[in-house]
Amino acid sequence: MLAEGIVISYADGLAFLSMHDLMAEPANRRSFLKKAAVASGGALAGAAGLNQIAPMIWREPLEFENNRSYWARSQPPLNAPLNNDISADVAVVGGGLTGLSAAYYIRSI
């Protein structure tokens, strides 16, 4: 079959349907955003519906056991909260790759 169309067979014969007929509206940003908004609304409606029926599905609250892994036991103690406000020129929040590289770069300048 050619890439331009699709053949659909029926009991009384063949019908030719082009790809242009399948894609009624052209692919552009507006149509994409409309379809994304409809899909997001459907996902939110589904989540809201699940939230309403969740008490009927899970009758007892879920309980999680404490983390007894080696990693959790070997963590340093939590820092004490600040007693009063402080001021800083730069505050790096997070100790992941981005936070560490940002702190390293700021210290080097």
Side-chain angles (χ1 to χ4, degrees), residues 18-101:
S18 69
M19 288 300 285
H20 179 68
D21 294 335
L22 291 175
M23 298 174 56
E25 93 181 50
N28 57 28
R29 184 174 183 211
R30 180 174 295 213
S31 65
F32 170 76
L33 290 175
K34 283 181 184 178
K35 291 175 185 174
V38 169
S40 299
L44 287 174
L50 182 60
N51 195 23
Q52 293 298 319
I53 65 168
M56 292 181 271
I57 298 172
W58 299 289
R59 300 217 180 258
E60 59 189 48
L62 298 176
E63 295 181 18
F64 296 99
E65 61 184 53
N66 291 333
N67 189 351
R68 289 180 246 157
S69 67
Y70 173 77
W71 177 85
R73 289 187 310 232
S74 65
Q75 294 297 305
L78 296 175
N79 294 332
L82 295 175
N83 294 331
N84 46 356
D85 294 339
I86 61 171
S87 64
D89 294 331
V90 176
V92 176
V93 178
L97 181 63
T98 306
L100 290 176
S101 61

